[in-house]
Amino acid sequence: MKKYIVSFILGCVLLVSCEQEKLIFNESQTFVKFGVVDDLSLPIGESASIEVSITVSSVSASERTIPVEVIQDETTLESTSYTLGSIVVPANSYEGMLKIDVQDEGELADIRVLALQVPISAEFSGLNDKLSFSIIQTCPVDITSFVGMYRIKQTTPFLKAPWGDGGTAFSDDVVVEVIAISETRRKFNVIVTPKFCGWNQVDFLFDLVCNKIIVPTQSNACHCGDGNEWFVAAQSPSAYDVNDDSEFTLVFTEGAQGECGYFPAQTSVTFTKQ
């Protein structure tokens, strides 16, 4: 069985400067900041070890072991699928490391979430940071499948706002080239929200995730508010046939943040191979 090692390192964080300046907010309490963690793509039946950097707001003359607990109402990953270590901070240091072992159970599963926090105590403040990331199961896909020239056509109504519609999600009824970035990730270059952002041609991503097509969070490239979560995964993602890439449908949530007065919508775009 393969084992994947993934390390996530946080550079400069809010509590400690790049020069490691000492910042103690309260000598009787310590604040904890988790490093940045990307969602984990895990092949079906495999395991991974994730190392997450931790920063604390005070130093100690001796090594510290900081407990960590699962936020049960925010976690959908089965308890048998992960093992948590403790946060170990060396003496005279602001930084430590948390190791998380994740095991895929080998059966098709939806995207799962693991959410963690440091429990409140006399030593650790209730202002501590939380850590949350998704575990995305992946299955083998031939890297030559779902690539090539496709004609795209939106099959659902336009995004709506009280003052009008937002037009199609992409340039419609055009031919795009779908390119493989990895075994399970594809991209195509297209103009997004062309009614208002006709100059913004970007690479749009989607993932082939064990019989489901998942659209990762992406910007609309034409900022309305921050625009960073304009496209997100669908409430009910579409399926694909690993043995037939002649046609497939991309389903995603459009206008997810409700910016510009738009109502979030489930948008479908059909891809037909040329």
Side-chain angles (χ1 to χ4, degrees):
M1 177 179 290
K2 298 178 183 176
K3 192 168 187 179
Y4 297 80
I5 309 296
V6 186
S7 295
F8 301 92
I9 305 299
L10 180 67
C12 303
V13 296
L14 296 176
L15 299 179
V16 182
S17 74
C18 296
E19 292 78 25
Q20 293 297 298
E21 179 183 352
K22 185 177 181 181
L23 295 175
I24 300 179
F25 295 90
N26 183 325
E27 291 186 357
S28 64
Q29 286 189 319
T30 296
F31 299 85
V32 177
K33 178 73 176 179
F34 288 99
V36 176
V37 176
D38 292 328
D39 291 342
L40 173 64
S41 293
L42 186 61
I44 187 169
E46 304 295 349
S47 63
S49 293
I50 302 172
E51 292 183 338
V52 184
S53 64
I54 307 294
T55 304
V56 294
S57 63
S58 63
V59 294
S60 172
S62 58
E63 180 180 277
R64 288 173 288 176
T65 299
I66 301 174
V68 64
E69 66 180 10
V70 176
I71 306 173
Q72 296 295 343
D73 59 355
E74 297 180 19
T75 294
T76 56
L77 182 65
E78 302 85 351
S79 59
T80 56
S81 297
Y82 62 86
T83 302
L84 299 178
S86 296
I87 302 170
V88 178
V89 180
N92 302 310
S93 176
Y94 290 104
E95 296 184 353
M97 200 68 68
L98 169 65
K99 183 180 178 183
I100 306 170
D101 294 324
V102 182
Q103 171 67 53
D104 184 83
E105 301 296 338
E107 297 181 358
L108 291 179
D110 293 330
I111 294 176
R112 295 150 294 170
V113 175
L114 178 60
L116 306 172
Q117 66 184 1
V118 172
I120 300 172
S121 66
E123 180 180 1
F124 298 106
S125 166
L127 297 178
N128 288 324
D129 194 22
K130 294 181 180 180
L131 173 69
S132 180
F133 64 96
S134 297
I135 295 86
I136 303 172
Q137 186 185 61
T138 62
C139 299
V141 178
D142 191 322
I143 202 166
T144 64
S145 295
F146 300 93
V147 298
M149 308 307 293
Y150 285 85
R151 182 171 292 278
I152 62 174
K153 184 68 177 176
Q154 184 163 323
T155 57
T156 49
F158 299 161
L159 190 69
K160 296 292 185 181
W163 48 269
D165 69 65
T168 56
F170 312 133
S171 293
D172 203 36
D173 202 17
V174 297
V175 175
V176 299
E177 183 179 12
V178 179
I179 298 171
I181 299 177
S182 67
E183 186 180 64
T184 57
R185 172 158 284 191
R186 303 292 186 264
K187 72 175 182 179
F188 59 97
N189 193 261
V190 71
I191 294 174
V192 295
T193 52
K195 183 173 181 177
F196 300 107
C197 314
W199 63 92
N200 278 309
Q201 190 156 338
V202 301
D203 286 338
F204 195 87
L205 307 175
F206 64 91
D207 296 312
L208 303 168
V209 184
C210 296
N211 298 338
K212 293 183 179 180
I213 303 178
I214 305 297
V215 171
T217 300
Q218 293 167 82
S219 169
N220 69 347
C222 177
H223 299 302
C224 180
D226 61 31
N228 291 328
E229 296 181 9
W230 188 264
F231 300 106
V232 303
Q235 294 174 1
S236 298
S238 57
Y240 65 91
D241 182 347
V242 71
N243 298 311
D244 183 6
D245 67 351
S246 61
E247 184 174 291
F248 63 92
T249 300
L250 207 61
V251 182
F252 49 89
T253 302
E254 184 182 3
Q257 293 175 307
E259 293 179 342
C260 293
Y262 285 113
F263 303 112
Q266 298 302 296
T267 299
S268 296
V269 177
T270 297
F271 286 64
T272 304
K273 202 158 196 176
Q274 301 300 292

